[in-house]
mmCIF file of all heavy atoms in Angstrom:
data_model
loop_
_atom_site.group_PDB
_atom_site.id
_atom_site.type_symbol
_atom_site.label_atom_id
_atom_site.label_comp_id
_atom_site.label_asym_id
_atom_site.label_seq_id
_atom_site.Cartn_x
_atom_site.Cartn_y
_atom_site.Cartn_z
ATOM 1 N N HIS A 1 6.199 -5.045 -4.828
ATOM 2 C CA HIS A 1 7.134 -4.746 -3.739
ATOM 3 C C HIS A 1 7.520 -3.269 -3.731
ATOM 4 O O HIS A 1 7.686 -2.672 -2.661
ATOM 5 C CB HIS A 1 8.377 -5.626 -3.845
ATOM 6 C CG HIS A 1 8.107 -7.061 -3.532
ATOM 7 N ND1 HIS A 1 7.925 -7.527 -2.262
ATOM 8 C CD2 HIS A 1 7.979 -8.128 -4.351
ATOM 9 C CE1 HIS A 1 7.699 -8.835 -2.294
ATOM 10 N NE2 HIS A 1 7.717 -9.212 -3.549
ATOM 11 N N ASP A 2 7.661 -2.667 -4.908
ATOM 12 C CA ASP A 2 7.964 -1.226 -4.987
ATOM 13 C C ASP A 2 6.837 -0.400 -4.379
ATOM 14 O O ASP A 2 7.079 0.537 -3.618
ATOM 15 C CB ASP A 2 8.171 -0.785 -6.439
ATOM 16 C CG ASP A 2 9.395 -1.390 -7.087
ATOM 17 O OD1 ASP A 2 10.326 -1.790 -6.363
ATOM 18 O OD2 ASP A 2 9.413 -1.463 -8.336
ATOM 19 N N LEU A 3 5.604 -0.741 -4.741
ATOM 20 C CA LEU A 3 4.453 -0.004 -4.223
ATOM 21 C C LEU A 3 4.363 -0.143 -2.702
ATOM 22 O O LEU A 3 4.203 0.852 -1.990
ATOM 23 C CB LEU A 3 3.158 -0.488 -4.875
ATOM 24 C CG LEU A 3 1.874 0.171 -4.367
ATOM 25 C CD1 LEU A 3 1.918 1.687 -4.571
ATOM 26 C CD2 LEU A 3 0.661 -0.431 -5.047
ATOM 27 N N ILE A 4 4.495 -1.356 -2.205
ATOM 28 C CA ILE A 4 4.425 -1.562 -0.757
ATOM 29 C C ILE A 4 5.584 -0.866 -0.059
ATOM 30 O O ILE A 4 5.409 -0.276 1.007
ATOM 31 C CB ILE A 4 4.371 -3.064 -0.428
ATOM 32 C CG1 ILE A 4 2.983 -3.592 -0.791
ATOM 33 C CG2 ILE A 4 4.684 -3.324 1.042
ATOM 34 C CD1 ILE A 4 2.782 -5.058 -0.575
ATOM 35 N N GLY A 5 6.769 -0.904 -0.663
ATOM 36 C CA GLY A 5 7.903 -0.195 -0.089
ATOM 37 C C GLY A 5 7.638 1.292 0.043
ATOM 38 O O GLY A 5 7.968 1.914 1.060
ATOM 39 N N SER A 6 7.009 1.882 -0.970
ATOM 40 C CA SER A 6 6.710 3.311 -0.909
ATOM 41 C C SER A 6 5.622 3.610 0.127
ATOM 42 O O SER A 6 5.652 4.643 0.787
ATOM 43 C CB SER A 6 6.295 3.840 -2.285
ATOM 44 O OG SER A 6 5.027 3.362 -2.669
ATOM 45 N N ILE A 7 4.681 2.694 0.302
ATOM 46 C CA ILE A 7 3.623 2.881 1.298
ATOM 47 C C ILE A 7 4.209 2.816 2.711
ATOM 48 O O ILE A 7 3.897 3.645 3.556
ATOM 49 C CB ILE A 7 2.502 1.833 1.114
ATOM 50 C CG1 ILE A 7 1.722 2.112 -0.181
ATOM 51 C CG2 ILE A 7 1.562 1.815 2.313
ATOM 52 C CD1 ILE A 7 0.777 0.998 -0.602
ATOM 53 N N PHE A 8 5.094 1.855 2.955
ATOM 54 C CA PHE A 8 5.668 1.702 4.287
ATOM 55 C C PHE A 8 6.826 2.666 4.550
ATOM 56 O O PHE A 8 7.268 2.791 5.689
ATOM 57 C CB PHE A 8 6.100 0.257 4.539
ATOM 58 C CG PHE A 8 4.960 -0.623 4.975
ATOM 59 C CD1 PHE A 8 4.264 -1.384 4.061
ATOM 60 C CD2 PHE A 8 4.577 -0.665 6.304
ATOM 61 C CE1 PHE A 8 3.206 -2.186 4.450
ATOM 62 C CE2 PHE A 8 3.518 -1.461 6.708
ATOM 63 C CZ PHE A 8 2.829 -2.223 5.787
ATOM 64 N N ALA A 9 7.293 3.366 3.535
ATOM 65 C CA ALA A 9 8.392 4.327 3.729
ATOM 66 C C ALA A 9 7.940 5.542 4.532
ATOM 67 O O ALA A 9 8.761 6.208 5.155
ATOM 68 C CB ALA A 9 8.945 4.767 2.375
ATOM 69 N N ARG A 10 6.668 5.829 4.517
ATOM 70 C CA ARG A 10 6.141 6.989 5.248
ATOM 71 C C ARG A 10 5.334 6.510 6.448
ATOM 72 O O ARG A 10 4.400 5.717 6.304
ATOM 73 C CB ARG A 10 5.246 7.807 4.316
ATOM 74 C CG ARG A 10 6.001 8.453 3.171
ATOM 75 C CD ARG A 10 5.065 9.190 2.226
ATOM 76 N NE ARG A 10 4.022 8.356 1.625
ATOM 77 C CZ ARG A 10 4.195 7.554 0.577
ATOM 78 N NH1 ARG A 10 5.370 7.455 0.019
ATOM 79 N NH2 ARG A 10 3.189 6.871 0.093
ATOM 80 N N ALA A 11 5.690 6.987 7.620
ATOM 81 C CA ALA A 11 4.949 6.625 8.831
ATOM 82 C C ALA A 11 3.569 7.276 8.804
ATOM 83 O O ALA A 11 3.381 8.342 8.227
ATOM 84 C CB ALA A 11 5.712 7.087 10.067
ATOM 85 N N GLN A 12 2.616 6.611 9.413
ATOM 86 C CA GLN A 12 1.266 7.158 9.536
ATOM 87 C C GLN A 12 0.920 7.272 11.007
ATOM 88 O O GLN A 12 1.165 6.347 11.785
ATOM 89 C CB GLN A 12 0.240 6.255 8.830
ATOM 90 C CG GLN A 12 0.350 6.259 7.339
ATOM 91 C CD GLN A 12 -0.713 5.372 6.684
ATOM 92 O OE1 GLN A 12 -1.369 4.572 7.339
ATOM 93 N NE2 GLN A 12 -0.861 5.525 5.390
ATOM 94 N N ASP A 13 0.358 8.395 11.387
ATOM 95 C CA ASP A 13 -0.054 8.607 12.770
ATOM 96 C C ASP A 13 -1.256 7.735 13.106
ATOM 97 O O ASP A 13 -2.150 7.543 12.285
ATOM 98 C CB ASP A 13 -0.431 10.072 13.006
ATOM 99 C CG ASP A 13 0.766 11.003 12.897
ATOM 100 O OD1 ASP A 13 1.898 10.539 13.153
ATOM 101 O OD2 ASP A 13 0.568 12.180 12.565
ATOM 102 N N GLY A 14 -1.257 7.211 14.303
ATOM 103 C CA GLY A 14 -2.422 6.482 14.799
ATOM 104 C C GLY A 14 -2.490 5.020 14.421
ATOM 105 O O GLY A 14 -3.484 4.362 14.712
ATOM 106 N N VAL A 15 -1.464 4.496 13.746
ATOM 107 C CA VAL A 15 -1.442 3.070 13.417
ATOM 108 C C VAL A 15 -0.091 2.490 13.829
ATOM 109 O O VAL A 15 0.895 3.206 13.951
ATOM 110 C CB VAL A 15 -1.710 2.794 11.918
ATOM 111 C CG1 VAL A 15 -3.105 3.188 11.520
ATOM 112 C CG2 VAL A 15 -0.690 3.461 11.039
ATOM 113 N N ALA A 16 -0.055 1.189 14.049
ATOM 114 C CA ALA A 16 1.176 0.499 14.422
ATOM 115 C C ALA A 16 2.199 0.594 13.292
ATOM 116 O O ALA A 16 1.825 0.792 12.128
ATOM 117 C CB ALA A 16 0.865 -0.959 14.743
ATOM 118 N N PRO A 17 3.490 0.436 13.603
ATOM 119 C CA PRO A 17 4.535 0.542 12.575
ATOM 120 C C PRO A 17 4.405 -0.479 11.447
ATOM 121 O O PRO A 17 4.895 -0.242 10.346
ATOM 122 C CB PRO A 17 5.835 0.314 13.350
ATOM 123 C CG PRO A 17 5.504 0.538 14.768
ATOM 124 C CD PRO A 17 4.049 0.257 14.940
ATOM 125 N N ASP A 18 3.744 -1.600 11.701
ATOM 126 C CA ASP A 18 3.599 -2.628 10.670
ATOM 127 C C ASP A 18 2.240 -2.575 9.969
ATOM 128 O O ASP A 18 1.856 -3.503 9.270
ATOM 129 C CB ASP A 18 3.823 -4.018 11.271
ATOM 130 C CG ASP A 18 2.860 -4.333 12.395
ATOM 131 O OD1 ASP A 18 2.204 -3.408 12.909
ATOM 132 O OD2 ASP A 18 2.750 -5.520 12.745
ATOM 133 N N VAL A 19 1.517 -1.480 10.143
ATOM 134 C CA VAL A 19 0.189 -1.308 9.540
ATOM 135 C C VAL A 19 0.151 0.020 8.794
ATOM 136 O O VAL A 19 0.713 1.013 9.241
ATOM 137 C CB VAL A 19 -0.925 -1.324 10.618
ATOM 138 C CG1 VAL A 19 -2.288 -1.030 10.003
ATOM 139 C CG2 VAL A 19 -0.942 -2.649 11.355
ATOM 140 N N ARG A 20 -0.507 0.027 7.641
ATOM 141 C CA ARG A 20 -0.737 1.261 6.894
ATOM 142 C C ARG A 20 -2.175 1.280 6.409
ATOM 143 O O ARG A 20 -2.738 0.257 6.018
ATOM 144 C CB ARG A 20 0.182 1.369 5.669
ATOM 145 C CG ARG A 20 1.640 1.544 5.999
ATOM 146 C CD ARG A 20 1.878 2.880 6.658
ATOM 147 N NE ARG A 20 3.273 3.113 6.932
ATOM 148 C CZ ARG A 20 3.891 2.768 8.050
ATOM 149 N NH1 ARG A 20 3.237 2.131 8.993
ATOM 150 N NH2 ARG A 20 5.163 3.039 8.221
ATOM 151 N N ARG A 21 -2.771 2.457 6.448
ATOM 152 C CA ARG A 21 -4.078 2.663 5.820
ATOM 153 C C ARG A 21 -3.809 2.984 4.354
ATOM 154 O O ARG A 21 -2.932 3.794 4.043
ATOM 155 C CB ARG A 21 -4.806 3.816 6.500
ATOM 156 C CG ARG A 21 -5.230 3.508 7.920
ATOM 157 C CD ARG A 21 -5.951 4.686 8.549
ATOM 158 N NE ARG A 21 -5.124 5.895 8.573
ATOM 159 C CZ ARG A 21 -4.389 6.300 9.601
ATOM 160 N NH1 ARG A 21 -4.376 5.602 10.713
ATOM 161 N NH2 ARG A 21 -3.671 7.399 9.537
ATOM 162 N N ILE A 22 -4.555 2.335 3.471
ATOM 163 C CA ILE A 22 -4.393 2.588 2.037
ATOM 164 C C ILE A 22 -5.754 2.929 1.435
ATOM 165 O O ILE A 22 -6.786 2.506 1.940
ATOM 166 C CB ILE A 22 -3.737 1.401 1.298
ATOM 167 C CG1 ILE A 22 -4.566 0.115 1.432
ATOM 168 C CG2 ILE A 22 -2.318 1.176 1.798
ATOM 169 C CD1 ILE A 22 -4.044 -1.047 0.610
ATOM 170 N N THR A 23 -5.715 3.672 0.355
ATOM 171 C CA THR A 23 -6.949 4.073 -0.318
ATOM 172 C C THR A 23 -7.460 2.946 -1.213
ATOM 173 O O THR A 23 -6.734 1.996 -1.518
ATOM 174 C CB THR A 23 -6.721 5.326 -1.179
ATOM 175 O OG1 THR A 23 -5.819 4.978 -2.237
ATOM 176 C CG2 THR A 23 -6.157 6.478 -0.363
ATOM 177 N N SER A 24 -8.677 3.083 -1.655
ATOM 178 C CA SER A 24 -9.247 2.105 -2.590
ATOM 179 C C SER A 24 -8.445 2.050 -3.882
ATOM 180 O O SER A 24 -8.244 0.972 -4.449
ATOM 181 C CB SER A 24 -10.711 2.444 -2.893
ATOM 182 O OG SER A 24 -11.484 2.336 -1.727
ATOM 183 N N ASP A 25 -7.962 3.209 -4.345
ATOM 184 C CA ASP A 25 -7.151 3.237 -5.571
ATOM 185 C C ASP A 25 -5.825 2.503 -5.375
ATOM 186 O O ASP A 25 -5.376 1.774 -6.257
ATOM 187 C CB ASP A 25 -6.884 4.675 -6.009
ATOM 188 C CG ASP A 25 -8.131 5.350 -6.563
ATOM 189 O OD1 ASP A 25 -9.072 4.643 -6.984
ATOM 190 O OD2 ASP A 25 -8.164 6.593 -6.582
ATOM 191 N N GLN A 26 -5.192 2.691 -4.213
ATOM 192 C CA GLN A 26 -3.947 1.976 -3.929
ATOM 193 C C GLN A 26 -4.196 0.471 -3.852
ATOM 194 O O GLN A 26 -3.398 -0.325 -4.354
ATOM 195 C CB GLN A 26 -3.324 2.458 -2.615
ATOM 196 C CG GLN A 26 -2.699 3.821 -2.703
ATOM 197 C CD GLN A 26 -2.249 4.316 -1.343
ATOM 198 O OE1 GLN A 26 -2.992 4.232 -0.369
ATOM 199 N NE2 GLN A 26 -1.033 4.848 -1.288
ATOM 200 N N LEU A 27 -5.301 0.080 -3.244
ATOM 201 C CA LEU A 27 -5.649 -1.333 -3.141
ATOM 202 C C LEU A 27 -5.864 -1.938 -4.522
ATOM 203 O O LEU A 27 -5.335 -3.010 -4.833
ATOM 204 C CB LEU A 27 -6.904 -1.507 -2.281
ATOM 205 C CG LEU A 27 -7.455 -2.923 -2.156
ATOM 206 C CD1 LEU A 27 -6.428 -3.862 -1.563
ATOM 207 C CD2 LEU A 27 -8.726 -2.916 -1.338
ATOM 208 N N LYS A 28 -6.590 -1.259 -5.377
ATOM 209 C CA LYS A 28 -6.835 -1.749 -6.734
ATOM 210 C C LYS A 28 -5.525 -1.853 -7.504
ATOM 211 O O LYS A 28 -5.269 -2.849 -8.181
ATOM 212 C CB LYS A 28 -7.809 -0.834 -7.463
ATOM 213 C CG LYS A 28 -8.143 -1.299 -8.866
ATOM 214 C CD LYS A 28 -9.078 -0.344 -9.558
ATOM 215 C CE LYS A 28 -9.435 -0.747 -10.961
ATOM 216 N NZ LYS A 28 -8.400 -1.339 -11.764
ATOM 217 N N TYR A 29 -4.674 -0.835 -7.396
ATOM 218 C CA TYR A 29 -3.388 -0.837 -8.089
ATOM 219 C C TYR A 29 -2.508 -1.979 -7.584
ATOM 220 O O TYR A 29 -1.875 -2.682 -8.386
ATOM 221 C CB TYR A 29 -2.708 0.518 -7.902
ATOM 222 C CG TYR A 29 -1.451 0.710 -8.722
ATOM 223 C CD1 TYR A 29 -1.384 0.327 -10.050
ATOM 224 C CD2 TYR A 29 -0.334 1.302 -8.156
ATOM 225 C CE1 TYR A 29 -0.243 0.523 -10.792
ATOM 226 C CE2 TYR A 29 0.826 1.504 -8.887
ATOM 227 C CZ TYR A 29 0.859 1.108 -10.210
ATOM 228 O OH TYR A 29 2.006 1.292 -10.941
ATOM 229 N N LEU A 30 -2.469 -2.210 -6.284
ATOM 230 C CA LEU A 30 -1.674 -3.297 -5.726
ATOM 231 C C LEU A 30 -2.161 -4.641 -6.254
ATOM 232 O O LEU A 30 -1.366 -5.479 -6.675
ATOM 233 C CB LEU A 30 -1.735 -3.269 -4.194
ATOM 234 C CG LEU A 30 -1.003 -4.395 -3.469
ATOM 235 C CD1 LEU A 30 0.476 -4.409 -3.818
ATOM 236 C CD2 LEU A 30 -1.207 -4.272 -1.967
ATOM 237 N N ARG A 31 -3.468 -4.853 -6.257
ATOM 238 C CA ARG A 31 -4.008 -6.108 -6.787
ATOM 239 C C ARG A 31 -3.640 -6.288 -8.256
ATOM 240 O O ARG A 31 -3.271 -7.384 -8.679
ATOM 241 C CB ARG A 31 -5.521 -6.128 -6.633
ATOM 242 C CG ARG A 31 -5.976 -6.440 -5.249
ATOM 243 C CD ARG A 31 -7.486 -6.526 -5.225
ATOM 244 N NE ARG A 31 -7.971 -6.899 -3.914
ATOM 245 C CZ ARG A 31 -9.075 -6.426 -3.395
ATOM 246 N NH1 ARG A 31 -9.830 -5.574 -4.078
ATOM 247 N NH2 ARG A 31 -9.461 -6.811 -2.199
ATOM 248 N N ASP A 32 -3.770 -5.218 -9.040
ATOM 249 C CA ASP A 32 -3.420 -5.296 -10.460
ATOM 250 C C ASP A 32 -1.947 -5.665 -10.650
ATOM 251 O O ASP A 32 -1.608 -6.478 -11.508
ATOM 252 C CB ASP A 32 -3.714 -3.971 -11.164
ATOM 253 C CG ASP A 32 -5.196 -3.689 -11.318
ATOM 254 O OD1 ASP A 32 -6.014 -4.623 -11.133
ATOM 255 O OD2 ASP A 32 -5.549 -2.527 -11.618
ATOM 256 N N LEU A 33 -1.073 -5.065 -9.853
ATOM 257 C CA LEU A 33 0.358 -5.368 -9.959
ATOM 258 C C LEU A 33 0.649 -6.823 -9.609
ATOM 259 O O LEU A 33 1.446 -7.485 -10.281
ATOM 260 C CB LEU A 33 1.175 -4.446 -9.036
ATOM 261 C CG LEU A 33 1.274 -2.987 -9.449
ATOM 262 C CD1 LEU A 33 1.967 -2.183 -8.356
ATOM 263 C CD2 LEU A 33 2.012 -2.834 -10.772
ATOM 264 N N ILE A 34 -0.001 -7.330 -8.583
ATOM 265 C CA ILE A 34 0.216 -8.723 -8.178
ATOM 266 C C ILE A 34 -0.266 -9.673 -9.263
ATOM 267 O O ILE A 34 0.413 -10.642 -9.603
ATOM 268 C CB ILE A 34 -0.471 -9.021 -6.831
ATOM 269 C CG1 ILE A 34 0.232 -8.248 -5.709
ATOM 270 C CG2 ILE A 34 -0.469 -10.515 -6.532
ATOM 271 C CD1 ILE A 34 -0.504 -8.266 -4.387
ATOM 272 N N VAL A 35 -1.419 -9.399 -9.843
ATOM 273 C CA VAL A 35 -1.967 -10.262 -10.894
ATOM 274 C C VAL A 35 -1.084 -10.241 -12.140
ATOM 275 O O VAL A 35 -0.845 -11.276 -12.764
ATOM 276 C CB VAL A 35 -3.417 -9.836 -11.241
ATOM 277 C CG1 VAL A 35 -3.904 -10.516 -12.498
ATOM 278 C CG2 VAL A 35 -4.337 -10.142 -10.069
ATOM 279 N N ARG A 36 -0.553 -9.071 -12.498
ATOM 280 C CA ARG A 36 0.284 -8.950 -13.698
ATOM 281 C C ARG A 36 1.650 -9.593 -13.542
ATOM 282 O O ARG A 36 2.238 -10.021 -14.529
ATOM 283 C CB ARG A 36 0.479 -7.483 -14.062
ATOM 284 C CG ARG A 36 -0.675 -6.940 -14.860
ATOM 285 C CD ARG A 36 -0.328 -5.605 -15.434
ATOM 286 N NE ARG A 36 -0.925 -4.595 -14.558
ATOM 287 C CZ ARG A 36 -0.461 -3.398 -14.357
ATOM 288 N NH1 ARG A 36 0.635 -3.009 -14.954
ATOM 289 N NH2 ARG A 36 -1.060 -2.549 -13.558
#
């Protein structure tokens, strides 16, 4: 939840307010956090 909160705290141009583009490293880190 902390990681997702930090991702959604910053707006991104060109995407809807409820969507964020994330990197492969962020995706891997998010999965690891959820599993742990």
Side-chain angles (χ1 to χ4, degrees):
H1 290 284
D2 294 337
L3 177 59
I4 287 178
S6 70
I7 290 169
F8 277 95
R10 294 177 302 279
Q12 290 181 347
D13 293 333
V15 294
D18 59 345
V19 175
R20 292 293 183 270
R21 292 180 301 264
I22 60 174
T23 65
S24 296
D25 288 339
Q26 287 173 313
L27 176 59
K28 182 182 179 322
Y29 188 44
L30 177 59
R31 282 184 177 144
D32 289 346
L33 289 173
I34 292 170
V35 169
R36 277 192 261 151

